[in-house]
Amino acid sequence: MTKRRGERPPAPETLPAPVVDAHTHLDACGATTPDDVKAIVDRAALAGVDRVITVADDLDSARWAAEAATWDDRVFAAVALHPTRTSTFGQAEQDVLAALAEHPRVVAIGETGLDYYWDYAPRSAQHEAFRWHIDLAKRVGKALMIHDRDAHDDILKVLDAEGAPDTVVFHCFSGDLSFARACVERGFVLSFAGTTTFRNAHALREAARWAPEDHVLVETDAPFLTPHPYRGRPNEPYCVNYTLRDLATLRDADVGELAAKITRNAERVFRLSDVAES
């Protein structure tokens, strides 16, 4: 049987309650125009995913995300310089991001953090940029969205040393139960992506099963990390439906109740009602 690696997964049955995709990359999914964005979020809405947060990883992406969030009321944005892109991070880059962070439809500063898997940027540069983004999140009063790859201990050390913002989200949470406990003890939120559905991700699934429901979000990180059983195929926000259903099974929870709870979490974390009223 062909794996159909180039095809998007089939449209799932609509969720019994809507949920928010807390982290996606609409530009990397191929969107460039308002019509492109509408088509993606329309597909998401049919699956019960009624809002998405499109996340930047460089300056061009940050500018685009902030603009795209004005094209459709179902789209919000997060802006930052990805840690792997911090080799050059000076006043010019900081000025652009600081201005974008004030945009009313930018609901988070991210994704920022540390990435020890790739060597595209020196660790010293990553740490400096991470500290700057932490300060920016505190200055604008918005959530900090963490990218953490192979850097669990140092992420916590930096957050502890700098003083974490009021709201911290670990995007695509990748830690084990012990790390999940350390994050939750600090009040941080864990956002689970398609990796949580991978059957060989035993430690991650244990953490997802344990995580207190007030500290849980779901995301796609589309077009990456497509959930089981469609791993390797293109991901889109509608596929958070699959992750949510798998998470409900893992946690022995009702799908609709879990979706409703996670939506309330997203509304609280990203202050989405404040955006709607602005």
Side-chain angles (χ1 to χ4, degrees):
M1 181 177 68
T2 177
K3 292 186 177 180
R4 301 178 179 175
R5 293 184 70 86
E7 297 181 17
R8 290 192 299 265
E13 180 182 355
T14 306
L15 291 168
V19 75
V20 177
D21 181 356
H23 188 114
T24 189
H25 301 273
L26 295 183
D27 50 349
C29 290
T32 58
T33 68
D35 286 344
D36 296 336
V37 168
K38 182 178 185 301
I40 291 174
V41 294
D42 280 351
R43 282 193 289 273
L46 290 174
V49 183
D50 69 344
R51 285 164 290 181
V52 307
I53 298 171
T54 189
V55 181
D57 61 2
D58 62 21
L59 292 188
D60 287 341
S61 178
R63 294 186 185 97
W64 184 89
E67 183 179 5
T70 69
W71 296 341
D72 195 298
D73 288 343
R74 299 168 292 181
V75 178
F76 304 88
V79 300
L81 203 64
H82 192 282
T84 60
R85 299 177 183 270
T86 55
S87 290
T88 302
F89 186 66
Q91 193 63 51
E93 290 80 10
Q94 293 172 13
D95 288 347
V96 170
L97 291 172
L100 291 171
E102 298 284 358
H103 194 292
R105 296 195 65 81
V106 169
V107 298
I109 305 305
E111 57 189 278
T112 180
L114 302 174
D115 190 312
Y116 291 172
Y117 181 81
W118 301 106
D119 61 358
Y120 298 141
R123 293 188 181 185
S124 59
Q126 293 188 42
H127 279 249
E128 182 178 353
F130 185 27
R131 290 193 294 269
W132 183 87
H133 283 92
I134 292 170
D135 180 67
L136 177 62
K138 291 191 284 191
R139 280 188 276 138
V140 298
K142 297 181 180 181
L144 184 73
M145 187 179 285
I146 300 290
H147 172 99
D148 166 22
R149 191 161 188 189
D150 295 349
H152 299 333
D153 291 343
D154 280 2
I155 290 274
L156 293 184
K157 287 178 182 177
V158 173
L159 287 169
D160 289 346
E162 296 297 313
D166 290 340
T167 306
V168 174
V169 177
F170 272 74
H171 133 70
C172 190
F173 183 79
S174 59
D176 59 11
L177 178 57
S178 175
F179 187 63
R181 290 184 187 277
C183 291
V184 169
E185 286 172 0
R186 290 166 169 81
F188 302 159
V189 178
L190 315 181
S191 186
F192 294 101
T195 45
T196 310
T197 72
F198 298 170
R199 295 308 190 254
N200 61 347
H202 303 297
L204 173 58
R205 287 173 65 79
E206 182 183 24
R209 182 185 297 111
W210 168 83
E213 64 175 12
D214 285 345
H215 294 260
V216 173
L217 295 173
V218 289
E219 63 171 82
T220 54
D221 198 22
F224 317 106
L225 307 180
T226 311
H228 176 83
Y230 304 107
R231 188 174 180 178
R233 292 167 66 171
N235 201 4
E236 262 196 18
Y238 74 87
C239 293
V240 84
N241 178 305
Y242 290 114
T243 299
L244 187 283
R245 290 182 184 278
D246 191 87
L247 190 60
T249 299
L250 181 65
R251 295 168 63 92
D252 193 25
D254 176 82
V255 172
E257 291 177 2
L258 183 60
K261 179 57 184 177
I262 288 176
T263 292
R264 291 193 294 272
N265 291 344
E267 291 173 341
R268 181 189 78 245
V269 165
F270 301 115
R271 298 164 59 183
L272 300 184
S273 60
D274 292 348
V275 177
E277 293 171 0
S278 63

